[in-house]
């Protein structure tokens, strides 16, 4: 894939109060195998790891650079820009404590000018006519290991394309007790940090990489695929392809 990193849909206003960066074109050169193979070893998605892109060439990058130190006495003491000075990784979505300036597509802009999705790319579904009353298993992108990415809706029976389409859910559960050394929940409520979520098999439809194996419109014989979801982790944090 060769692209300029700009979506084919409207975006929010950038810069904004939570995001000081101006969106700009990028030089996207992305390649992945046409014959992906599952591995027993997972790899990280994001900086220093594997990339994932929408069909339009916009990156999926779910994590943030924001962190908090365990010793903070106010949420304003956390560093949302470059993570300096903290060990508790902050989530962009699913919390109201920190403002990352994301738009209605759950996306915002990096200092480099790169527009990127942290979660559900809403406009991609809207532009394809996908709604809750007009459901479709929509291919929205590819992960760097060569497996496809779908958004929101999946078959209720993963191996039956005639089964009802449902809202696919992740299998992470929010902690009820704060981790030792974590900033007080009176300052930063549970759910705001990545570590506040624990993978619990069977609580949702997907595995620890927000994926599963099944049939899709493009792969009627079945394939492993990733999902963008409305629930944590919102998008895959790891890939399972070799």
């Amino acid at each position: 894939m060769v692209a300029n990193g700009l979506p084919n849909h409207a975006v929010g206003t950038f810069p904004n109060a939570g995001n000081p960066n101006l969106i700009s074109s990028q030089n996207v050169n992305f390649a992945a195998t046409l014959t992906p193979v599952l591995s027993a070893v997972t790899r990280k998605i994001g900086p220093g790891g594997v990339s994932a892109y929408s069909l339009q060439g916009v990156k999926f990058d779910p994590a943030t650079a924001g962190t908090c130190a365990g010793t903070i006495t106010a949420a304003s003491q956390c560093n949302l820009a470059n993570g300096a000075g903290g060990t508790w990784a902050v989530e962009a979505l699913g919390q109201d404590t920190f403002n990352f300036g994301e738009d209605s597509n759950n996306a915002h802009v990096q200092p480099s000018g790169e527009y990127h999705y942290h979660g559900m790319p809403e406009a991609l579904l809207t532009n394809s006519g996908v709604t809750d009353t007009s459901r479709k298993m929509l291919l929205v992108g590819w992960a760097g290991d060569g497996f496809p990415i779908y958004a929101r809706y999946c078959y209720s029976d993963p191996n039956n394309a005639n089964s009802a389409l449902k809202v696919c859910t992740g299998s992470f559960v929010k902690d009820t007790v704060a981790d030792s050394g974590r900033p007080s929940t009176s300052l930063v409520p549970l759910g705001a940090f990545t570590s506040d979520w624990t993978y619990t098999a069977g609580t949702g439809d997907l595995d620890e990489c927000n994926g599963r194996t099944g049939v899709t419109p493009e792969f009627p014989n079945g394939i492993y695929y990733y999902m963008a979801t409305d629930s944590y982790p919102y998008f895959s944090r790891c890939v399972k392809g070799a």
Side-chain angles (χ1 to χ4, degrees), residues 29-190:
N29 287 277
F30 170 77
T33 179
L34 293 173
T35 55
V37 178
L38 285 173
S39 168
V41 178
T42 63
R43 292 180 290 161
K44 171 189 172 185
I45 275 186
V50 179
S51 295
Y53 282 91
S54 74
L55 300 181
Q56 293 74 32
V58 176
K59 183 184 288 185
F60 288 98
D61 195 359
T64 78
T67 65
C68 298
T71 55
I72 63 167
T73 57
S76 58
Q77 296 169 356
C78 298
N79 188 326
L80 303 186
N82 57 29
T87 56
W88 298 91
V90 178
E91 285 293 313
L93 306 180
Q95 52 81 23
D96 299 319
T97 305
F98 305 103
N99 180 12
F100 285 91
E102 64 269 17
D103 64 12
S104 60
N105 299 298
N106 297 301
H108 65 178
V109 183
Q110 292 176 342
S112 64
E114 184 174 33
Y115 183 81
H116 59 285
Y117 301 115
H118 278 268
M120 189 67 64
E122 296 286 359
L124 298 186
L125 280 74
T126 300
N127 287 354
S128 296
V130 179
T131 66
D132 199 47
T133 56
S134 182
R135 298 182 176 188
K136 177 183 177 183
M137 193 168 180
L138 183 68
L139 178 69
V140 294
W142 298 92
D145 60 355
F147 287 115
I149 302 163
Y150 291 83
R152 187 169 280 140
Y153 302 110
C154 62
Y155 296 121
S156 52
D157 179 346
N159 297 309
N160 182 1
N162 293 316
S163 62
L165 283 163
K166 62 175 289 185
V167 175
C168 245
T169 58
S171 299
F172 284 76
V173 175
K174 184 166 65 175
D175 294 346
T176 57
V177 177
D179 293 327
S180 176
R182 182 196 187 281
S184 170
T185 55
S186 65
L187 301 175
V188 184
L190 287 168

